[in-house]
Each structure stands twice: as C-alpha cells, then as structure tokens.
Amino acid sequence: MKHCISARWYPTFCDISPLGGTKVRGMDVFAKQFGFTQEEMMAFGDGGNDVAMLEHAHISVAMGNAVEELKKCASFVSDDVDHDGVKKAVAYYSSKFRQSI
C-alpha cells in the first residue's frame, strides 16, 4: 500500500491512512477552518497512534490507560476515559487558565 501510512496503537491493531491523512493534518485543517492557532490546540490520546498528535498540540493529555510512550510525551496525564479523564483534564486546564487572567 504505497500511498498509505500506518500507525500501530495495539500489538494487533493499526490505523492505515492515505499519505497526508494524519491526525496532525486533521488538526491543522480544523484549526484553519475555525480560525485558531496551534498554541490554542489541546489533544487527548491513549495509544501509540496518538504520539504525533500529542506532540503537535500545545496542550497534550494522555489518558490514564495510555501506553507509556504516550504518557512520556504528554503535558498532562489524566484519569482513564471510564473515570472522566477528559472532563478532569479540561477542568484542570480551565482552572489554570482562569488563574492566569
């Protein structure tokens, strides 16, 4: 599949995307469409296929159940999805933002 790239996120699973069809590209297209910058991006992930996306976002959140590789590159490690990890991370950064104003 010479016109595709793959990203493994579990020993027996991987994402296969067309060249240029990465999560990072999706973030950039979305940001451009809605008028915000990379410094305003926040990304959440739990698998090895999320490393590039978390490295690209200004704020990167690894879920509590994330692979160690992802936790190492995240700016914040939250609880897992089943225990409100996304909600907790947003609350944490919301309070930090309010304190800086």
Side-chain angles (χ1 to χ4, degrees):
M1 298 175 64
K2 64 182 180 178
H3 299 290
C4 297
I5 57 171
S6 65
R8 184 163 304 284
W9 53 273
Y10 190 76
T12 55
F13 297 101
C14 73
D15 292 339
I16 299 174
S17 304
L19 286 175
T22 65
K23 292 181 180 188
V24 169
R25 171 108 171 98
M27 292 170 69
D28 289 341
V29 169
F30 186 88
K32 183 178 180 182
Q33 177 70 30
F34 291 97
F36 59 90
T37 67
Q38 183 178 357
E39 289 75 32
E40 298 170 301
M41 289 181 186
M42 182 179 210
F44 299 84
D46 62 359
N49 63 328
D50 296 323
V51 171
M53 177 179 63
L54 265 63
E55 289 176 340
H56 187 65
H58 181 68
I59 298 172
S60 54
V61 178
M63 305 313 297
N65 58 301
V67 296
E68 287 305 312
E69 174 188 18
L70 197 66
K71 288 179 180 179
K72 288 179 184 175
C73 76
S75 53
F76 184 78
V77 177
S78 191
D79 212 337
D80 62 69
V81 173
D82 294 331
H83 294 96
D84 296 325
V86 172
K87 179 181 175 181
K88 289 174 183 176
V90 169
Y92 172 78
Y93 279 103
S94 292
S95 69
K96 279 185 71 159
F97 177 73
R98 275 184 251 131
Q99 291 171 4
S100 69
I101 297 176

PDB file of all heavy atoms in Angstrom, residues 62-97:
ATOM      1  N   ALA A  62      -2.567  12.697  27.969  1.00  0.00           N
ATOM      2  CA  ALA A  62      -2.601  11.239  27.848  1.00  0.00           C
ATOM      3  C   ALA A  62      -3.628  10.731  28.846  1.00  0.00           C
ATOM      4  O   ALA A  62      -3.668  11.180  30.002  1.00  0.00           O
ATOM      5  CB  ALA A  62      -1.237  10.641  28.146  1.00  0.00           C
ATOM      6  N   MET A  63      -4.450   9.829  28.413  1.00  0.00           N
ATOM      7  CA  MET A  63      -5.427   9.244  29.308  1.00  0.00           C
ATOM      8  C   MET A  63      -4.706   8.288  30.264  1.00  0.00           C
ATOM      9  O   MET A  63      -3.633   7.787  29.963  1.00  0.00           O
ATOM     10  CB  MET A  63      -6.500   8.499  28.506  1.00  0.00           C
ATOM     11  CG  MET A  63      -7.186   9.355  27.438  1.00  0.00           C
ATOM     12  SD  MET A  63      -7.734  10.980  27.988  1.00  0.00           S
ATOM     13  CE  MET A  63      -8.928  10.558  29.228  1.00  0.00           C
ATOM     14  N   GLY A  64      -5.296   8.039  31.414  1.00  0.00           N
ATOM     15  CA  GLY A  64      -4.675   7.184  32.421  1.00  0.00           C
ATOM     16  C   GLY A  64      -4.351   5.792  31.934  1.00  0.00           C
ATOM     17  O   GLY A  64      -3.400   5.165  32.404  1.00  0.00           O
ATOM     18  N   ASN A  65      -5.101   5.294  30.977  1.00  0.00           N
ATOM     19  CA  ASN A  65      -4.869   3.961  30.429  1.00  0.00           C
ATOM     20  C   ASN A  65      -3.939   3.985  29.212  1.00  0.00           C
ATOM     21  O   ASN A  65      -3.750   2.974  28.556  1.00  0.00           O
ATOM     22  CB  ASN A  65      -6.200   3.318  30.027  1.00  0.00           C
ATOM     23  CG  ASN A  65      -6.961   4.154  29.019  1.00  0.00           C
ATOM     24  OD1 ASN A  65      -7.289   5.299  29.276  1.00  0.00           O
ATOM     25  ND2 ASN A  65      -7.240   3.585  27.864  1.00  0.00           N
ATOM     26  N   ALA A  66      -3.323   5.145  28.944  1.00  0.00           N
ATOM     27  CA  ALA A  66      -2.467   5.293  27.756  1.00  0.00           C
ATOM     28  C   ALA A  66      -1.202   4.448  27.873  1.00  0.00           C
ATOM     29  O   ALA A  66      -0.748   4.121  28.974  1.00  0.00           O
ATOM     30  CB  ALA A  66      -2.081   6.760  27.575  1.00  0.00           C
ATOM     31  N   VAL A  67      -0.619   4.148  26.727  1.00  0.00           N
ATOM     32  CA  VAL A  67       0.660   3.446  26.700  1.00  0.00           C
ATOM     33  C   VAL A  67       1.737   4.388  27.254  1.00  0.00           C
ATOM     34  O   VAL A  67       1.615   5.610  27.180  1.00  0.00           O
ATOM     35  CB  VAL A  67       1.017   2.973  25.267  1.00  0.00           C
ATOM     36  CG1 VAL A  67       0.002   1.957  24.767  1.00  0.00           C
ATOM     37  CG2 VAL A  67       1.113   4.139  24.303  1.00  0.00           C
ATOM     38  N   GLU A  68       2.783   3.817  27.830  1.00  0.00           N
ATOM     39  CA  GLU A  68       3.833   4.615  28.469  1.00  0.00           C
ATOM     40  C   GLU A  68       4.483   5.606  27.514  1.00  0.00           C
ATOM     41  O   GLU A  68       4.807   6.722  27.898  1.00  0.00           O
ATOM     42  CB  GLU A  68       4.888   3.698  29.087  1.00  0.00           C
ATOM     43  CG  GLU A  68       4.417   3.000  30.342  1.00  0.00           C
ATOM     44  CD  GLU A  68       3.894   3.948  31.415  1.00  0.00           C
ATOM     45  OE1 GLU A  68       4.575   4.955  31.726  1.00  0.00           O
ATOM     46  OE2 GLU A  68       2.799   3.696  31.940  1.00  0.00           O
ATOM     47  N   GLU A  69       4.670   5.212  26.256  1.00  0.00           N
ATOM     48  CA  GLU A  69       5.269   6.103  25.254  1.00  0.00           C
ATOM     49  C   GLU A  69       4.482   7.408  25.150  1.00  0.00           C
ATOM     50  O   GLU A  69       5.051   8.491  25.047  1.00  0.00           O
ATOM     51  CB  GLU A  69       5.299   5.386  23.897  1.00  0.00           C
ATOM     52  CG  GLU A  69       5.757   6.232  22.738  1.00  0.00           C
ATOM     53  CD  GLU A  69       5.585   5.536  21.395  1.00  0.00           C
ATOM     54  OE1 GLU A  69       4.826   4.549  21.298  1.00  0.00           O
ATOM     55  OE2 GLU A  69       6.208   6.009  20.437  1.00  0.00           O
ATOM     56  N   LEU A  70       3.175   7.307  25.205  1.00  0.00           N
ATOM     57  CA  LEU A  70       2.321   8.485  25.090  1.00  0.00           C
ATOM     58  C   LEU A  70       2.359   9.329  26.363  1.00  0.00           C
ATOM     59  O   LEU A  70       2.412  10.553  26.307  1.00  0.00           O
ATOM     60  CB  LEU A  70       0.888   8.066  24.770  1.00  0.00           C
ATOM     61  CG  LEU A  70      -0.006   9.161  24.224  1.00  0.00           C
ATOM     62  CD1 LEU A  70       0.478   9.604  22.849  1.00  0.00           C
ATOM     63  CD2 LEU A  70      -1.437   8.696  24.146  1.00  0.00           C
ATOM     64  N   LYS A  71       2.353   8.670  27.500  1.00  0.00           N
ATOM     65  CA  LYS A  71       2.409   9.398  28.769  1.00  0.00           C
ATOM     66  C   LYS A  71       3.684  10.238  28.859  1.00  0.00           C
ATOM     67  O   LYS A  71       3.669  11.340  29.403  1.00  0.00           O
ATOM     68  CB  LYS A  71       2.333   8.432  29.941  1.00  0.00           C
ATOM     69  CG  LYS A  71       0.962   7.813  30.133  1.00  0.00           C
ATOM     70  CD  LYS A  71       0.962   6.849  31.298  1.00  0.00           C
ATOM     71  CE  LYS A  71      -0.397   6.218  31.506  1.00  0.00           C
ATOM     72  NZ  LYS A  71      -0.394   5.266  32.631  1.00  0.00           N
ATOM     73  N   LYS A  72       4.782   9.724  28.317  1.00  0.00           N
ATOM     74  CA  LYS A  72       6.059  10.440  28.378  1.00  0.00           C
ATOM     75  C   LYS A  72       6.042  11.722  27.539  1.00  0.00           C
ATOM     76  O   LYS A  72       6.747  12.666  27.857  1.00  0.00           O
ATOM     77  CB  LYS A  72       7.195   9.528  27.928  1.00  0.00           C
ATOM     78  CG  LYS A  72       7.518   8.449  28.925  1.00  0.00           C
ATOM     79  CD  LYS A  72       8.628   7.550  28.422  1.00  0.00           C
ATOM     80  CE  LYS A  72       8.873   6.415  29.400  1.00  0.00           C
ATOM     81  NZ  LYS A  72       9.857   5.459  28.879  1.00  0.00           N
ATOM     82  N   CYS A  73       5.273  11.769  26.476  1.00  0.00           N
ATOM     83  CA  CYS A  73       5.271  12.959  25.621  1.00  0.00           C
ATOM     84  C   CYS A  73       4.119  13.908  25.944  1.00  0.00           C
ATOM     85  O   CYS A  73       4.026  14.980  25.359  1.00  0.00           O
ATOM     86  CB  CYS A  73       5.267  12.570  24.144  1.00  0.00           C
ATOM     87  SG  CYS A  73       3.687  11.996  23.500  1.00  0.00           S
ATOM     88  N   ALA A  74       3.265  13.552  26.893  1.00  0.00           N
ATOM     89  CA  ALA A  74       2.109  14.387  27.235  1.00  0.00           C
ATOM     90  C   ALA A  74       2.481  15.465  28.250  1.00  0.00           C
ATOM     91  O   ALA A  74       3.347  15.269  29.093  1.00  0.00           O
ATOM     92  CB  ALA A  74       0.994  13.513  27.803  1.00  0.00           C
ATOM     93  N   SER A  75       1.792  16.594  28.158  1.00  0.00           N
ATOM     94  CA  SER A  75       1.999  17.649  29.150  1.00  0.00           C
ATOM     95  C   SER A  75       1.165  17.383  30.406  1.00  0.00           C
ATOM     96  O   SER A  75       1.407  17.982  31.448  1.00  0.00           O
ATOM     97  CB  SER A  75       1.671  19.022  28.561  1.00  0.00           C
ATOM     98  OG  SER A  75       0.388  19.048  27.990  1.00  0.00           O
ATOM     99  N   PHE A  76       0.205  16.472  30.319  1.00  0.00           N
ATOM    100  CA  PHE A  76      -0.649  16.137  31.459  1.00  0.00           C
ATOM    101  C   PHE A  76      -1.131  14.708  31.290  1.00  0.00           C
ATOM    102  O   PHE A  76      -1.507  14.307  30.189  1.00  0.00           O
ATOM    103  CB  PHE A  76      -1.840  17.098  31.522  1.00  0.00           C
ATOM    104  CG  PHE A  76      -2.752  16.916  32.701  1.00  0.00           C
ATOM    105  CD1 PHE A  76      -2.403  17.407  33.948  1.00  0.00           C
ATOM    106  CD2 PHE A  76      -3.965  16.268  32.566  1.00  0.00           C
ATOM    107  CE1 PHE A  76      -3.246  17.257  35.038  1.00  0.00           C
ATOM    108  CE2 PHE A  76      -4.819  16.116  33.648  1.00  0.00           C
ATOM    109  CZ  PHE A  76      -4.456  16.617  34.890  1.00  0.00           C
ATOM    110  N   VAL A  77      -1.129  13.938  32.363  1.00  0.00           N
ATOM    111  CA  VAL A  77      -1.703  12.590  32.351  1.00  0.00           C
ATOM    112  C   VAL A  77      -2.930  12.631  33.243  1.00  0.00           C
ATOM    113  O   VAL A  77      -2.847  12.988  34.418  1.00  0.00           O
ATOM    114  CB  VAL A  77      -0.702  11.530  32.844  1.00  0.00           C
ATOM    115  CG1 VAL A  77      -1.363  10.156  32.877  1.00  0.00           C
ATOM    116  CG2 VAL A  77       0.539  11.505  31.958  1.00  0.00           C
ATOM    117  N   SER A  78      -4.065  12.307  32.661  1.00  0.00           N
ATOM    118  CA  SER A  78      -5.335  12.355  33.375  1.00  0.00           C
ATOM    119  C   SER A  78      -5.754  10.951  33.779  1.00  0.00           C
ATOM    120  O   SER A  78      -5.001   9.986  33.617  1.00  0.00           O
ATOM    121  CB  SER A  78      -6.407  13.002  32.480  1.00  0.00           C
ATOM    122  OG  SER A  78      -7.566  13.288  33.232  1.00  0.00           O
ATOM    123  N   ASP A  79      -6.962  10.836  34.267  1.00  0.00           N
ATOM    124  CA  ASP A  79      -7.543   9.541  34.582  1.00  0.00           C
ATOM    125  C   ASP A  79      -7.946   8.868  33.266  1.00  0.00           C
ATOM    126  O   ASP A  79      -7.900   9.489  32.204  1.00  0.00           O
ATOM    127  CB  ASP A  79      -8.772   9.755  35.472  1.00  0.00           C
ATOM    128  CG  ASP A  79      -8.993   8.612  36.454  1.00  0.00           C
ATOM    129  OD1 ASP A  79      -8.522   7.494  36.200  1.00  0.00           O
ATOM    130  OD2 ASP A  79      -9.655   8.851  37.489  1.00  0.00           O
ATOM    131  N   ASP A  80      -8.356   7.616  33.317  1.00  0.00           N
ATOM    132  CA  ASP A  80      -8.779   6.957  32.084  1.00  0.00           C
ATOM    133  C   ASP A  80     -10.164   7.448  31.669  1.00  0.00           C
ATOM    134  O   ASP A  80     -10.851   8.128  32.428  1.00  0.00           O
ATOM    135  CB  ASP A  80      -8.734   5.428  32.221  1.00  0.00           C
ATOM    136  CG  ASP A  80      -9.683   4.913  33.292  1.00  0.00           C
ATOM    137  OD1 ASP A  80     -10.910   4.989  33.086  1.00  0.00           O
ATOM    138  OD2 ASP A  80      -9.194   4.432  34.331  1.00  0.00           O
ATOM    139  N   VAL A  81     -10.546   7.110  30.457  1.00  0.00           N
ATOM    140  CA  VAL A  81     -11.802   7.593  29.880  1.00  0.00           C
ATOM    141  C   VAL A  81     -13.003   7.167  30.725  1.00  0.00           C
ATOM    142  O   VAL A  81     -13.932   7.952  30.931  1.00  0.00           O
ATOM    143  CB  VAL A  81     -11.963   7.092  28.424  1.00  0.00           C
ATOM    144  CG1 VAL A  81     -13.328   7.435  27.868  1.00  0.00           C
ATOM    145  CG2 VAL A  81     -10.882   7.661  27.553  1.00  0.00           C
ATOM    146  N   ASP A  82     -12.973   5.957  31.235  1.00  0.00           N
ATOM    147  CA  ASP A  82     -14.100   5.456  32.017  1.00  0.00           C
ATOM    148  C   ASP A  82     -14.237   6.140  33.377  1.00  0.00           C
ATOM    149  O   ASP A  82     -15.229   5.948  34.070  1.00  0.00           O
ATOM    150  CB  ASP A  82     -13.971   3.944  32.222  1.00  0.00           C
ATOM    151  CG  ASP A  82     -14.100   3.174  30.919  1.00  0.00           C
ATOM    152  OD1 ASP A  82     -14.791   3.660  29.998  1.00  0.00           O
ATOM    153  OD2 ASP A  82     -13.500   2.086  30.805  1.00  0.00           O
ATOM    154  N   HIS A  83     -13.234   6.920  33.757  1.00  0.00           N
ATOM    155  CA  HIS A  83     -13.280   7.643  35.037  1.00  0.00           C
ATOM    156  C   HIS A  83     -13.155   9.156  34.807  1.00  0.00           C
ATOM    157  O   HIS A  83     -12.462   9.862  35.546  1.00  0.00           O
ATOM    158  CB  HIS A  83     -12.199   7.120  35.981  1.00  0.00           C
ATOM    159  CG  HIS A  83     -12.443   5.711  36.392  1.00  0.00           C
ATOM    160  ND1 HIS A  83     -11.847   4.640  35.759  1.00  0.00           N
ATOM    161  CD2 HIS A  83     -13.261   5.180  37.338  1.00  0.00           C
ATOM    162  CE1 HIS A  83     -12.265   3.518  36.314  1.00  0.00           C
ATOM    163  NE2 HIS A  83     -13.130   3.815  37.269  1.00  0.00           N
ATOM    164  N   ASP A  84     -13.805   9.627  33.742  1.00  0.00           N
ATOM    165  CA  ASP A  84     -13.905  11.068  33.439  1.00  0.00           C
ATOM    166  C   ASP A  84     -12.569  11.749  33.165  1.00  0.00           C
ATOM    167  O   ASP A  84     -12.372  12.914  33.498  1.00  0.00           O
ATOM    168  CB  ASP A  84     -14.644  11.820  34.555  1.00  0.00           C
ATOM    169  CG  ASP A  84     -16.087  11.376  34.706  1.00  0.00           C
ATOM    170  OD1 ASP A  84     -16.706  11.055  33.668  1.00  0.00           O
ATOM    171  OD2 ASP A  84     -16.601  11.352  35.830  1.00  0.00           O
ATOM    172  N   GLY A  85     -11.642  11.040  32.542  1.00  0.00           N
ATOM    173  CA  GLY A  85     -10.325  11.601  32.263  1.00  0.00           C
ATOM    174  C   GLY A  85     -10.357  12.869  31.427  1.00  0.00           C
ATOM    175  O   GLY A  85      -9.623  13.818  31.718  1.00  0.00           O
ATOM    176  N   VAL A  86     -11.187  12.911  30.409  1.00  0.00           N
ATOM    177  CA  VAL A  86     -11.273  14.106  29.566  1.00  0.00           C
ATOM    178  C   VAL A  86     -11.836  15.263  30.382  1.00  0.00           C
ATOM    179  O   VAL A  86     -11.281  16.372  30.392  1.00  0.00           O
ATOM    180  CB  VAL A  86     -12.132  13.851  28.303  1.00  0.00           C
ATOM    181  CG1 VAL A  86     -12.383  15.142  27.546  1.00  0.00           C
ATOM    182  CG2 VAL A  86     -11.458  12.822  27.407  1.00  0.00           C
ATOM    183  N   LYS A  87     -12.909  15.023  31.100  1.00  0.00           N
ATOM    184  CA  LYS A  87     -13.533  16.057  31.933  1.00  0.00           C
ATOM    185  C   LYS A  87     -12.542  16.601  32.961  1.00  0.00           C
ATOM    186  O   LYS A  87     -12.449  17.816  33.171  1.00  0.00           O
ATOM    187  CB  LYS A  87     -14.762  15.479  32.630  1.00  0.00           C
ATOM    188  CG  LYS A  87     -15.483  16.444  33.529  1.00  0.00           C
ATOM    189  CD  LYS A  87     -16.671  15.768  34.197  1.00  0.00           C
ATOM    190  CE  LYS A  87     -17.338  16.685  35.195  1.00  0.00           C
ATOM    191  NZ  LYS A  87     -18.472  16.011  35.853  1.00  0.00           N
ATOM    192  N   LYS A  88     -11.786  15.726  33.596  1.00  0.00           N
ATOM    193  CA  LYS A  88     -10.825  16.142  34.616  1.00  0.00           C
ATOM    194  C   LYS A  88      -9.704  16.985  34.012  1.00  0.00           C
ATOM    195  O   LYS A  88      -9.266  17.973  34.604  1.00  0.00           O
ATOM    196  CB  LYS A  88     -10.257  14.925  35.339  1.00  0.00           C
ATOM    197  CG  LYS A  88     -11.282  14.254  36.243  1.00  0.00           C
ATOM    198  CD  LYS A  88     -10.748  12.964  36.844  1.00  0.00           C
ATOM    199  CE  LYS A  88     -11.820  12.286  37.689  1.00  0.00           C
ATOM    200  NZ  LYS A  88     -11.374  10.989  38.209  1.00  0.00           N
ATOM    201  N   ALA A  89      -9.237  16.612  32.843  1.00  0.00           N
ATOM    202  CA  ALA A  89      -8.168  17.379  32.189  1.00  0.00           C
ATOM    203  C   ALA A  89      -8.664  18.762  31.778  1.00  0.00           C
ATOM    204  O   ALA A  89      -7.973  19.766  31.970  1.00  0.00           O
ATOM    205  CB  ALA A  89      -7.637  16.627  30.969  1.00  0.00           C
ATOM    206  N   VAL A  90      -9.873  18.837  31.231  1.00  0.00           N
ATOM    207  CA  VAL A  90     -10.432  20.127  30.838  1.00  0.00           C
ATOM    208  C   VAL A  90     -10.633  21.001  32.075  1.00  0.00           C
ATOM    209  O   VAL A  90     -10.311  22.193  32.069  1.00  0.00           O
ATOM    210  CB  VAL A  90     -11.755  19.941  30.053  1.00  0.00           C
ATOM    211  CG1 VAL A  90     -12.479  21.266  29.865  1.00  0.00           C
ATOM    212  CG2 VAL A  90     -11.469  19.294  28.698  1.00  0.00           C
ATOM    213  N   ALA A  91     -11.119  20.437  33.165  1.00  0.00           N
ATOM    214  CA  ALA A  91     -11.304  21.200  34.401  1.00  0.00           C
ATOM    215  C   ALA A  91      -9.961  21.703  34.925  1.00  0.00           C
ATOM    216  O   ALA A  91      -9.848  22.861  35.351  1.00  0.00           O
ATOM    217  CB  ALA A  91     -11.999  20.340  35.455  1.00  0.00           C
ATOM    218  N   TYR A  92      -8.933  20.858  34.880  1.00  0.00           N
ATOM    219  CA  TYR A  92      -7.606  21.255  35.338  1.00  0.00           C
ATOM    220  C   TYR A  92      -7.079  22.443  34.540  1.00  0.00           C
ATOM    221  O   TYR A  92      -6.645  23.443  35.110  1.00  0.00           O
ATOM    222  CB  TYR A  92      -6.648  20.061  35.216  1.00  0.00           C
ATOM    223  CG  TYR A  92      -5.213  20.416  35.478  1.00  0.00           C
ATOM    224  CD1 TYR A  92      -4.738  20.582  36.766  1.00  0.00           C
ATOM    225  CD2 TYR A  92      -4.319  20.584  34.419  1.00  0.00           C
ATOM    226  CE1 TYR A  92      -3.408  20.907  37.008  1.00  0.00           C
ATOM    227  CE2 TYR A  92      -2.995  20.915  34.642  1.00  0.00           C
ATOM    228  CZ  TYR A  92      -2.541  21.072  35.944  1.00  0.00           C
ATOM    229  OH  TYR A  92      -1.227  21.395  36.169  1.00  0.00           O
ATOM    230  N   TYR A  93      -7.128  22.354  33.217  1.00  0.00           N
ATOM    231  CA  TYR A  93      -6.613  23.443  32.388  1.00  0.00           C
ATOM    232  C   TYR A  93      -7.511  24.668  32.420  1.00  0.00           C
ATOM    233  O   TYR A  93      -7.032  25.792  32.302  1.00  0.00           O
ATOM    234  CB  TYR A  93      -6.345  22.964  30.961  1.00  0.00           C
ATOM    235  CG  TYR A  93      -5.022  22.246  30.883  1.00  0.00           C
ATOM    236  CD1 TYR A  93      -4.958  20.871  30.829  1.00  0.00           C
ATOM    237  CD2 TYR A  93      -3.828  22.966  30.904  1.00  0.00           C
ATOM    238  CE1 TYR A  93      -3.734  20.214  30.785  1.00  0.00           C
ATOM    239  CE2 TYR A  93      -2.607  22.322  30.870  1.00  0.00           C
ATOM    240  CZ  TYR A  93      -2.572  20.941  30.816  1.00  0.00           C
ATOM    241  OH  TYR A  93      -1.348  20.314  30.790  1.00  0.00           O
ATOM    242  N   SER A  94      -8.803  24.494  32.605  1.00  0.00           N
ATOM    243  CA  SER A  94      -9.707  25.641  32.745  1.00  0.00           C
ATOM    244  C   SER A  94      -9.354  26.452  33.983  1.00  0.00           C
ATOM    245  O   SER A  94      -9.309  27.671  33.954  1.00  0.00           O
ATOM    246  CB  SER A  94     -11.166  25.192  32.832  1.00  0.00           C
ATOM    247  OG  SER A  94     -11.582  24.646  31.611  1.00  0.00           O
ATOM    248  N   SER A  95      -9.078  25.753  35.077  1.00  0.00           N
ATOM    249  CA  SER A  95      -8.732  26.463  36.311  1.00  0.00           C
ATOM    250  C   SER A  95      -7.375  27.148  36.175  1.00  0.00           C
ATOM    251  O   SER A  95      -7.179  28.263  36.649  1.00  0.00           O
ATOM    252  CB  SER A  95      -8.745  25.525  37.508  1.00  0.00           C
ATOM    253  OG  SER A  95      -7.691  24.598  37.437  1.00  0.00           O
ATOM    254  N   LYS A  96      -6.422  26.526  35.498  1.00  0.00           N
ATOM    255  CA  LYS A  96      -5.115  27.159  35.273  1.00  0.00           C
ATOM    256  C   LYS A  96      -5.270  28.409  34.413  1.00  0.00           C
ATOM    257  O   LYS A  96      -4.641  29.419  34.669  1.00  0.00           O
ATOM    258  CB  LYS A  96      -4.154  26.180  34.571  1.00  0.00           C
ATOM    259  CG  LYS A  96      -3.508  25.194  35.482  1.00  0.00           C
ATOM    260  CD  LYS A  96      -2.493  24.348  34.756  1.00  0.00           C
ATOM    261  CE  LYS A  96      -1.308  25.225  34.427  1.00  0.00           C
ATOM    262  NZ  LYS A  96      -0.077  24.518  34.176  1.00  0.00           N
ATOM    263  N   PHE A  97      -6.113  28.325  33.396  1.00  0.00           N
ATOM    264  CA  PHE A  97      -6.341  29.463  32.517  1.00  0.00           C
ATOM    265  C   PHE A  97      -6.966  30.628  33.269  1.00  0.00           C
ATOM    266  O   PHE A  97      -6.542  31.772  33.151  1.00  0.00           O
ATOM    267  CB  PHE A  97      -7.225  29.051  31.326  1.00  0.00           C
ATOM    268  CG  PHE A  97      -7.551  30.188  30.410  1.00  0.00           C
ATOM    269  CD1 PHE A  97      -6.582  30.721  29.566  1.00  0.00           C
ATOM    270  CD2 PHE A  97      -8.814  30.742  30.401  1.00  0.00           C
ATOM    271  CE1 PHE A  97      -6.868  31.776  28.726  1.00  0.00           C
ATOM    272  CE2 PHE A  97      -9.120  31.816  29.562  1.00  0.00           C
ATOM    273  CZ  PHE A  97      -8.142  32.328  28.720  1.00  0.00           C
TER     274      PHE A  97
END
